[in-house]
């Protein structure tokens, strides 16, 4: 029997028992949709938490330590595969002071490459990036660290600067190698304010300047301090640097870290911790799929019943087909095709419904939850309640269609074993 | 063409553990020649239907040999037997055994569909055959919309469609009135003459049996060859 004839044969039987087949398909659809929607919550939470961790820009960050870090090495690091950005921050290793009027603070100055910083998700909450040597960006907590030591508030604490920052000029001084402030001053202009750190407990009072500031600073410093004979000497050096390498994707962090270690760098990344998070969510998702599979197994009872009834009702027809010369394997295949059809249609409907439920829940649940919590939103957090990746669709479809075929297996076997003589004796 | 040698068969009856072996066929030996109409006539319970079931491969005999066109069919497994039936046998049953969900046309088409023949080829063949047996007018009717005689004609057409050399007819006129019975018997005789098909007819009716070239009589599992009913 040709395959298209087999399909048309199965189709005729399905048409004859529309209502029964519809109810069975409905049960299969409900079971599969339950599995997909349930597991999608696991995928949604995983994505939410992963997104949250990733948004802290720490996961793709690899801290690189080397006693001999310089521009040449940084340039070499930038050329490596899957490296998105290499941020070479140079700190000043001596006393420093910033002051606006009577407000003074020891805010540290950091020289960095803003192009690389931007690639590594450095963001401004206000203003723009520096364009000239004396233009700087300040951290979001910069002003809180500028204090007027002649003025105390009612709690006995020094008052802090609360004036505007953007466009404001301030005096910056560095100390010598003894820790004494050098009298020569630099006037720096604030052109931007960095974004508040994601974590509440983190504070950013730093001053960020472009590398073009280095000559002037070194000039001031080395007029009071002897320049070291060797560029790499620890003593008397104004700047010391640390490097953060940013991978383009989380998956590549491990490979980059390993390569750096092999090249003699000391490295640290928190991708290992994220691996643990992934393992936890993998276990959670597997558990949810398992619970959902139970629903599919329950629906499979319906398929088993439908197929058993179909075989019983068609005993005489099966007998006639066998008498004429139908291969028992063909009869088995026709019944298996029927149960597979139920499984496939049920799965397709379930996938469509699940995507609908997922979309609606992602839209409606945040509204309900925020209303219940009495807050306007989840803050900076983007909560995704349900995500259906293609892998989940494949897993659910395999389970659903597989279970449908297993349910139809026994009735199909029963059909092949029908005795021709007894079947032909059945009343019409 | 069909050669039956020393065929024995018995059934177990009664409760499990207290079963009784009842012999149904007792050492049957006979032949059916090419192009013959052979009838096996006997009372109900004489074993004639069991003989047909064994000859058709629905049942495996306890002992004895059956060969069709020189091929020993009694040793066939289920799958081989089914394939052999599809290629060599046609069947006409007392209660027609048509598929209720298929039209007359589709019922006739069924054996060709099982053989995996193309739809266009199938339809041409079925159309021609239905025309030759006078079923064109009712080809789109379902079995429950046809008279007994029409249903049996459809059943005969279904048996003929694969051009089998042998057709087994189990009480072919058992459900028909006498007028329709004559029509069906005439059709069988005509097909035998025009197409040279061998018919093995199982019947309890002497009149039907007389249509045959040769009549075997079955009594208590024993077969005798003879012309008239009173010869038993």
């Amino acid at each position: 029997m040709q395959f298209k004839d087999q399909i048309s044969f199965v189709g005729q039987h399905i048409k004859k028992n529309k209502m029964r087949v519809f109810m069975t398909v409905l049960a299969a659809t409900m079971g599969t949709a339950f599995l997909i929607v349930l597991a999608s919550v696991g995928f949604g939470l995983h994505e939410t938490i992963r997104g949250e961790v990733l948004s802290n820009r720490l996961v793709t960050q690899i801290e690189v330590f080397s006693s001999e870090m310089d521009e040449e090495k940084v340039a070499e690091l930038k050329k490596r595969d899957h490296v998105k950005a290499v941020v070479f921050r140079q700190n000043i290793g001596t006393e420093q002071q910033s002051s606006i009027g009577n407000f003074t603070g020891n805010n540290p100055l950091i020289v960095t490459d803003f192009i690389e910083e931007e690639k590594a998700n450095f963001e401004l909450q206000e203003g723009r990036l520096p364009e000239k040597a004396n233009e700087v960006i300040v951290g979001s907590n910069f002003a809180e660290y500028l204090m007027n030591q002649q003025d105390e508030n009612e709690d006995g604490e020094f008052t802090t600067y609360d004036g505007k920052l953007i466009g404001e000029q301030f005096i910056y001084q560095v100390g010598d190698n003894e820790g004494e402030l050098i009298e020569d001053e630099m006037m720096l202009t604030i052109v931007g304010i960095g974004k508040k750190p994601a974590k509440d407990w983190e504070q950013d009072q730093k001053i960020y300047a472009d590398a073009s500031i280095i000559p002037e600073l070194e000039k001031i410093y080395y007029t009071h301090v002897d320049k070291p004979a060797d560029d790499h000497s620890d003593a008397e050096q104004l700047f010391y640097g640390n490097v953060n390498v940013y991978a383009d994707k989380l998956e590549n962090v491990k490979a980059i870290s390993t390569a750096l270690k092999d090249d003699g760098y000391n490295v640290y990344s928190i991708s290992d911790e994220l691996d643990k998070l992934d393992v936890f969510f993998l276990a959670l998702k597997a558990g949810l799929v398992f619970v959902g599979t139970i629903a599919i197994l329950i629906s499979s009872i319906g398929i088993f019943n439908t197929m058993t009834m179909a075989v019983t009702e068609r005993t005489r027809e099966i007998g006639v087909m066998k008498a004429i010369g139908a291969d028992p394997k063909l009869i088995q295949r026709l019944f298996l095709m029927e149960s597979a059809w139920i499984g496939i249609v049920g799965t397709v409907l379930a996938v469509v419904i699940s995507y609908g439920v997922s979309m609606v829940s992602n839209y409606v649940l945040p509204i309900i939850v925020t209303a219940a919590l009495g807050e306007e939103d989840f803050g900076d957090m983007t909560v995704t309640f349900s995500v259906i990746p293609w892998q989940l669709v494949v897993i659910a479809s395999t389970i659903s269609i597989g279970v449908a075929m297993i349910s139809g297996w026994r009735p199909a076997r029963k059909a092949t074993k029908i005795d021709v003589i007894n079947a032909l004796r059945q009343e019409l | 063409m069909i050669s039956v040698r020393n065929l024995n068969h018995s059934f177990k009856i009664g409760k499990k553990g207290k079963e009784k072996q009842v012999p149904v066929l007792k050492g049957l030996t006979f032949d059916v020649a090419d192009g013959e109409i052979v009838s096996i006539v006997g009372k109900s319970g004489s074993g004639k239907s069991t003989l047909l079931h064994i000859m058709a491969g629905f049942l495996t005999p306890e002992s004895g040999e059956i060969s069709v066109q020189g091929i020993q069919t009694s040793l066939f497994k289920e799958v081989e037997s089914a394939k052999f039936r599809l290629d060599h046998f046609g069947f006409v049953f007392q209660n027609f055994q048509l598929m209720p969900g298929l039209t007359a046309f589709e019922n006739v088409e069924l054996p060709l569909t099982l053989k995996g023949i193309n739809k266009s080829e199938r339809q041409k063949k079925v159309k021609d055959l239905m025309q030759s047996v006078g079923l064109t007018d009712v080809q789109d009717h379902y079995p429950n919309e046809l008279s007994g005689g029409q249903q049996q004609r459809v059943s005969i057409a279904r048996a003929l469609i694969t051009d089998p050399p042998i057709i087994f007819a189990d009480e072919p006129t058992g459900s028909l009135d006498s007028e329709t019975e004559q029509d069906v018997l005439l059709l069988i005789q005509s097909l035998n003459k025009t197409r040279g098909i061998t018919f093995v007819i199982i019947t309890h009716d002497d009149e039907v049996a007389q249509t045959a070239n040769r009549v075997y009589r079955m009594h208590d599992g024993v077969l005798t060859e003879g012309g008239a009913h009173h010869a038993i």
Side-chain angles (χ1 to χ4, degrees):
Chain A
M1 197 173 191
Q2 290 181 350
F3 186 66
K4 59 182 177 185
D5 290 323
Q6 292 175 25
I7 290 179
S8 115
F9 201 83
V10 170
Q12 279 178 343
H13 283 295
I14 289 169
K15 268 188 207 160
K16 263 200 289 182
N17 292 296
K18 272 184 217 149
M19 184 49 84
R20 194 169 66 202
V21 173
F22 170 74
M23 296 308 284
T24 317
V25 168
L26 188 66
T29 304
M30 286 168 72
T32 314
F34 178 74
L35 186 156
I36 297 175
V37 172
L38 189 69
S40 78
V41 176
F43 281 92
L45 288 177
H46 191 186
E47 193 179 284
T48 301
I49 294 183
R50 243 180 112 91
E52 189 57 22
V53 173
L54 286 167
S55 70
N56 286 346
R57 82 166 220 175
L58 290 172
V59 182
T60 52
Q61 177 182 296
I62 305 161
E63 290 178 34
V64 182
F65 304 98
S66 171
S67 55
E68 297 174 356
M69 189 58 76
D70 54 26
E71 292 291 348
E72 206 175 303
K73 283 193 171 162
V74 169
E76 187 274 321
L77 289 176
K78 282 181 193 170
K79 284 180 194 154
R80 292 183 179 233
D81 287 344
H82 306 298
V83 170
K84 187 169 88 174
V86 178
V87 177
F88 180 33
R89 285 187 174 183
Q90 298 185 75
N91 303 282
I92 288 179
T94 180
E95 192 69 18
Q96 39 196 320
Q97 185 177 289
S98 311
S99 41
I100 303 178
N102 294 329
F103 295 91
T104 56
N106 300 111
N107 306 38
L109 185 133
I110 285 167
V111 173
T112 188
D113 179 347
F114 287 105
I115 297 167
E116 293 296 308
E117 287 277 7
E118 271 196 311
K119 283 191 207 163
N121 293 353
F122 182 87
E123 287 175 70
L124 294 177
Q125 74 177 33
E126 219 182 321
R128 58 168 175 83
L129 291 174
E131 286 163 2
K132 294 176 196 158
N134 63 344
E135 288 182 344
V136 294
I137 288 168
V138 293
S140 58
N141 304 99
F142 175 78
E144 294 162 35
Y145 282 76
L146 292 178
M147 287 173 272
N148 184 348
Q149 297 191 1
Q150 274 96 51
D151 184 23
E152 287 182 15
N153 63 13
E154 50 209 29
D155 298 330
E157 289 170 350
F158 296 128
T159 53
T160 55
Y161 180 75
D162 61 356
K164 74 176 185 83
L165 287 172
I166 300 281
E168 203 66 25
Q169 284 195 325
F170 67 95
I171 298 161
Y172 177 78
Q173 291 171 277
V174 285
D176 60 16
N177 54 340
E178 303 292 328
E180 291 295 319
L181 283 176
I182 299 169
E183 283 181 5
D184 296 343
E185 296 170 348
M186 275 185 81
M187 284 302 285
L188 301 177
T189 308
I190 300 168
V191 293
I193 301 170
K195 201 176 176 188
K196 202 176 170 314
K199 288 170 187 158
D200 286 345
W201 63 86
E202 279 184 355
Q203 301 241 307
D204 185 6
Q205 76 277 28
K206 293 187 269 298
I207 304 160
Y208 299 93
D210 186 70
S212 53
I213 201 173
I214 293 174
E216 200 177 340
L217 267 176
E218 282 190 336
K219 193 177 149 197
I220 296 170
Y221 184 69
Y222 290 122
T223 48
H224 295 84
V225 179
D226 291 337
K227 201 170 183 178
D230 174 5
D231 271 358
H232 302 306
S233 162
D234 282 348
E236 324 301 350
Q237 218 172 280
L238 178 60
F239 291 102
Y240 63 95
N242 75 308
V243 169
N244 287 330
V245 172
Y246 294 88
D248 57 352
K249 281 181 201 158
L250 180 65
E251 299 90 274
N252 298 322
V253 170
K254 214 166 218 170
I256 296 171
S257 297
T258 313
L260 287 170
K261 276 180 198 165
D262 291 346
D263 293 344
Y265 292 103
N266 291 318
V267 298
Y268 169 76
S269 73
I270 64 160
S271 70
D272 291 344
E273 284 168 40
L274 203 80
D275 282 351
K276 281 179 199 159
L277 186 82
D278 287 348
V279 169
F280 167 77
F281 273 100
L282 183 69
L284 177 74
K285 286 182 271 189
L288 293 175
V289 168
F290 177 74
V291 174
T293 305
I294 294 171
I296 292 185
L297 288 175
I298 294 167
S299 76
S300 77
I301 297 169
I303 299 176
F304 180 82
N305 270 337
T306 299
M307 295 314 297
T308 307
M309 280 183 74
V311 171
T312 310
E313 277 178 5
R314 286 181 229 154
T315 299
R316 199 183 62 80
E317 288 176 49
I318 296 163
V320 174
M321 284 179 70
K322 285 181 85 173
I324 292 171
D327 186 340
K329 279 181 193 161
L330 170 72
I331 289 166
Q332 179 177 328
R333 201 179 314 134
L334 291 173
F335 280 96
L336 277 179
M337 280 169 74
E338 197 166 326
S339 55
W341 186 89
I342 292 171
I344 291 167
V345 173
T347 304
V348 170
L349 289 176
V351 170
V352 173
I353 291 169
S354 303
Y355 272 108
V357 170
S358 177
M359 277 168 66
V360 170
S361 63
N362 282 334
Y363 178 72
V364 173
L365 281 179
I367 297 170
I368 296 171
V369 173
T370 48
L373 293 174
E375 290 175 23
E376 289 202 355
D377 55 28
F378 290 98
D380 289 339
M381 200 165 164
T382 314
V383 178
T384 313
F385 284 92
S386 166
V387 169
I388 305 174
W390 66 268
Q391 294 93 330
L392 177 58
V393 173
V394 171
I395 292 168
S397 305
T398 311
I399 294 173
S400 172
I401 297 167
V403 167
M405 291 196 68
I406 292 167
S407 313
W409 179 260
R410 214 180 130 78
R413 288 290 300 161
K414 190 183 160 197
T416 65
K417 290 192 173 129
I418 282 173
D419 179 60
V420 178
I421 300 163
N422 287 334
L424 294 179
R425 276 186 194 138
Q426 275 202 355
E427 289 298 316
L428 290 172
Chain B
M1 164 160 281
I2 304 175
S3 160
V4 178
R5 294 288 171 268
N6 200 24
L7 189 70
N8 289 287
H9 197 72
S10 59
F11 287 124
K12 281 179 188 170
I13 54 166
K15 277 187 182 174
K16 219 175 181 184
K18 292 179 183 173
E19 295 136 327
K20 213 173 135 189
Q21 200 88 7
V22 179
V24 188
L25 303 178
K26 301 169 184 169
L28 306 190
T29 297
F30 68 99
D31 292 298
V32 177
D34 267 349
E36 244 188 338
I37 300 179
V38 169
S39 63
I40 296 165
V41 63
K43 286 181 190 167
S44 183
S46 61
K48 57 186 190 302
S49 287
T50 305
L51 174 60
L52 180 134
H53 293 154
I54 290 175
M55 286 165 82
F58 301 159
L59 259 182
T60 308
E62 233 167 53
S63 66
E65 281 178 14
I66 299 168
S67 56
V68 178
Q69 293 180 323
I71 302 160
Q72 202 169 331
T73 57
S74 48
L75 296 176
F76 277 163
K77 288 185 180 151
E78 196 187 1
V79 177
E80 295 166 315
S81 188
K83 172 98 179 60
F84 193 82
R85 277 201 296 273
L86 189 60
D87 293 336
H88 295 82
F89 298 158
F91 293 93
V92 178
F93 300 101
Q94 178 180 359
N95 47 8
F96 325 123
Q97 300 293 6
L98 298 174
M99 303 289 246
L102 303 181
T103 62
F105 190 95
E106 289 163 344
N107 264 290
V108 177
E109 193 184 13
L110 184 61
L112 295 179
T113 311
L114 290 176
K115 283 189 98 166
I117 289 165
N118 281 336
K119 194 170 183 179
S120 55
E121 200 181 325
R122 275 189 335 239
Q123 292 196 322
K124 187 182 178 303
K125 209 167 173 191
V126 175
K127 215 172 172 182
D128 292 348
L129 179 66
M130 292 196 89
Q131 203 166 15
S132 73
V133 293
L135 285 169
T136 313
D137 292 346
V138 294
Q139 66 175 23
D140 295 327
H141 291 213
Y142 285 94
N144 62 358
E145 296 163 355
L146 300 174
S147 69
Q150 285 169 326
Q151 286 191 61
Q152 198 58 302
R153 274 176 178 270
V154 173
S155 167
I156 292 169
R158 182 180 66 188
L160 283 172
I161 195 73
T162 53
D163 298 319
I166 303 157
I167 291 180
F168 291 104
D170 188 3
E171 302 279 10
T173 57
S175 304
L176 305 175
D177 58 55
S178 55
E179 202 179 319
T180 322
E181 180 183 296
Q182 281 310 310
D183 280 352
V184 169
L185 292 175
L186 283 172
L187 179 63
I188 288 174
Q189 281 177 325
S190 129
L191 290 168
N192 170 255
K193 272 184 194 156
T194 54
R195 297 180 180 228
I197 298 169
T198 307
F199 278 88
V200 177
I201 301 170
I202 303 289
T203 181
H204 67 282
D205 188 336
D206 235 9
E207 220 172 297
V208 174
Q210 294 312 320
T211 326
N213 309 120
R214 194 143 39 126
V215 179
Y216 286 108
R217 295 195 173 274
M218 190 86 160
H219 185 69
D220 279 347
V222 179
L223 202 67
T224 50
E225 192 177 343
H229 188 247
H230 61 263
I232 298 173

